[in-house]
Amino acid sequence: MTMKLACISLPGRGANDRFLAGIATALQDDGIRLCGTVQSNIERTDRAKCDMDIMVLPDGPVLRISEDRGDLARGCRLDADALETAVIGVAAALPHAQMMIVNKFGKQECEGRGLATLIADAVERGIPVLVGVNGLNLPAFRAFTGGAETALPPETDAVLTWCRRQLAEIAA
């Protein structure tokens, strides 16, 4: 049996987030029980960088995961406590989910924190997982998966087809 783990990687700021939010909506419209996270980025006229919110699937809460450290601040803006709150919500939803979507395999996951353990748990349970990965973190993601992930083209139909095929295999 192949690992039910796939990733998408689109270029451009926020592209993975918008794409995966659309996939999550389509799957929920199909009646699929999801767990995981999707991100929305809120542009601000008074800041160069956006605010980052994630919604814990299937239906919230929405959490602000970026810290406002001022327009000139450098370095990581992630609010690790907010991410940990999201992890707790995803863990609670996982036993009832048919599929997991994770908006980003980011620095926390590269270091074995964040949602990394829950991704592995979902795969172990046979729950299909779809993850957004940027190019910078792709080598760490491949190390995490042992190269067993499926890289999907960033096309809605192709991704939904993969998701539905995974779910059909489980149901069979």
Side-chain angles (χ1 to χ4, degrees):
M1 182 169 104
T2 59
M3 188 181 296
K4 295 182 177 303
L5 177 63
C7 67
I8 59 110
S9 187
L10 285 91
R13 183 172 152 189
N16 280 343
D17 300 322
R18 289 185 298 275
F19 183 83
L20 288 173
I23 295 296
T25 297
L27 292 171
Q28 286 179 313
D29 287 350
D30 284 353
I32 305 302
R33 292 183 317 276
L34 298 178
C35 72
T37 54
V38 291
Q39 181 172 321
S40 56
N41 301 303
I42 296 91
E43 297 298 328
R44 295 182 50 174
T45 58
D46 63 333
R47 294 279 188 261
K49 295 191 176 187
C50 63
D51 289 331
M52 300 178 296
D53 292 349
I54 57 172
M55 183 174 86
V56 177
L57 297 169
D59 52 15
V62 174
L63 304 164
R64 173 82 21 107
I65 61 166
S66 58
E67 294 179 332
D68 185 354
R69 298 176 40 232
D71 206 28
L72 300 177
R74 297 258 186 236
C76 183
R77 300 181 310 127
L78 178 69
D79 180 336
D81 289 337
L83 179 60
E84 194 56 34
T85 299
V87 169
I88 291 166
V90 173
L94 182 61
H96 313 287
Q98 293 171 286
M99 181 161 194
M100 174 186 270
I101 295 178
V102 175
N103 64 294
K104 181 178 184 182
F105 191 89
K107 183 178 179 187
Q108 295 290 310
E109 288 75 21
C110 290
E111 295 173 353
R113 295 189 302 266
L115 291 159
T117 301
L118 292 177
I119 293 169
D121 189 20
V123 168
E124 188 174 296
R125 293 175 186 226
I127 297 171
V129 181
L130 176 62
V131 181
V133 185
N134 66 32
L136 181 67
N137 295 329
L138 203 49
F141 180 71
R142 287 190 175 131
F144 174 77
T145 68
E149 80 284 348
T150 299
L152 296 173
E155 301 162 1
T156 300
D157 288 343
V159 172
L160 288 174
T161 296
W162 180 87
C163 293
R164 291 172 179 142
R165 185 179 322 117
Q166 304 313 305
L167 294 164
E169 286 176 10
I170 292 169

